[in-house]
Amino acid sequence: MNAKTATLAYLDAAQDILERIRTTQVATIEAAAEICAHSIANDALVHLFGTGHSRMFVEEMFPRHGSFPGFHSMVELSLTFHNQVVGSNGQRQAMFLEKVEGLGKVIMRNFVMTPPDSMIIFSNSGVNEVVVEVALEAKARNLPLIAVVSLDHCLASRPRHSCGKRLPDLADVTIDTCTPAGDAMVKLEGLADAVGPGSTIGAATVTNALKCRIAEKLTALGKPPLVLSSSYFLGAEAAAERFDRCYDEYRDRVKRVYG
């Protein structure tokens, strides 16, 4: 398979993910949006957590242009700082830590979370100890829990946490990223291993579709969100002012979490 055909093979696989999300996940996105809109409309927070590459979707939800306050990003550098790869703060350490039982409980001990807060946990596999433990702690605090996972991958993986549960077992709503098990999607002639992960496509699509529906619901409730918007739409001066207002609102919303 030449480079051009591999490019098209990946684009076709990515399109398959988008189509599967469209045809199978609208109802789960709707249920998740209802939970999140209820939290934000009541001046509470949607807490976001992910380890490894799943930190991308925490940051995709907020702060990005076209995003808005109401979400609380929880990103542990020890579990997500992959650019070093080896040496100090290397990826071996991060991959080891996300399998350490007890760490999730320690992380959650740092935050004050109470209903009507809710939580979204992003995890391609949905089985590593830290994400399951964070989910257990969220449920212990009576928070509605949304899982964003690849169900193909998750259900093909054995539970790792001693409770014997996977992330979807604990979630009130599970959104499937529709990413195939194993993540990599393109097989090449002469290369034993598939290349081209699809989880970024699926999880980013779900994240932004969910964000849009939450904004729509908040607007329908008469509580339109304060959107972090580009100077392309607002002009430089108004965009800078909006930036400050969004970040001020974020600060005001999250300060009680550190109680």
Side-chain angles (χ1 to χ4, degrees):
M1 183 177 288
N2 61 38
K4 181 178 180 181
T5 341
T7 298
L8 292 176
Y10 183 82
L11 293 174
D12 287 344
Q15 187 62 50
D16 287 345
I17 288 174
L18 297 179
E19 186 59 26
R20 284 183 64 198
I21 292 171
R22 174 185 284 275
T23 56
T24 67
Q25 296 306 301
V26 170
T28 56
I29 291 171
E30 179 70 15
E34 186 66 25
I35 291 170
C36 297
H38 176 75
S39 295
I40 296 171
N42 286 281
D43 298 320
L45 291 163
V46 181
H47 304 283
L48 310 172
F49 184 79
T51 67
H53 294 294
S54 291
R55 76 167 285 164
M56 292 189 292
F57 314 112
V58 173
E59 295 171 348
E60 187 71 18
M61 188 66 86
F62 186 84
R64 288 292 308 273
H65 282 156
S67 303
F68 46 90
F71 305 95
H72 170 230
S73 302
M74 298 167 58
V75 172
E76 292 285 317
L77 290 179
S78 62
L79 296 168
T80 60
F81 190 60
H82 285 173
N83 63 306
Q84 298 286 83
V85 184
V86 297
S88 298
N89 305 301
Q91 192 165 356
R92 284 190 182 93
Q93 295 93 304
M95 293 178 71
F96 175 84
L97 288 172
E98 70 181 5
K99 297 177 177 66
V100 173
E101 197 161 321
L103 180 55
K105 192 169 208 175
V106 171
I107 292 168
M108 290 290 278
R109 182 67 177 83
N110 289 297
F111 305 105
V112 177
M113 300 178 179
T114 57
D117 287 355
S118 54
M119 189 163 203
I120 305 175
I121 299 179
F122 301 90
S123 173
N124 189 57
S125 71
V127 296
N128 284 336
E129 287 83 343
V130 169
V131 293
V132 170
E133 199 159 75
V134 167
L136 289 167
E137 290 298 306
K139 297 310 297 177
R141 290 160 171 76
N142 296 314
L143 304 187
L145 177 63
I146 299 158
V148 178
V149 301
S150 162
L151 280 179
D152 280 355
H153 192 109
C154 183
L155 297 179
S157 305
R158 66 173 180 81
R160 293 178 180 272
H161 194 276
S162 62
C163 72
K165 295 184 182 297
R166 301 175 178 90
L167 186 54
D169 298 325
L170 300 166
D172 298 286
V173 176
T174 296
I175 306 176
D176 184 6
T177 64
C178 297
T179 306
D183 205 354
M185 302 190 297
V186 177
K187 294 182 179 179
L188 306 175
E189 185 178 344
L191 182 63
D193 301 300
V195 295
S199 56
T200 308
I201 301 293
T205 299
V206 163
T207 298
N208 283 296
L210 176 59
K211 185 193 309 178
C212 291
R213 186 62 175 128
I214 295 166
E216 187 174 38
K217 284 180 174 289
L218 290 171
T219 302
L221 289 169
K223 296 187 175 184
L226 183 64
V227 178
L228 190 62
S229 195
S230 168
S231 60
Y232 176 85
F233 297 112
L234 300 179
E237 185 175 343
E241 187 268 343
R242 180 70 62 83
F243 176 93
D244 283 336
R245 287 178 59 204
C246 281
Y247 278 50
D248 287 346
E249 182 179 330
Y250 179 85
R251 178 199 60 209
D252 292 342
R253 281 178 176 267
V254 304
K255 61 186 178 184
R256 64 100 172 144
V257 175
Y258 300 94

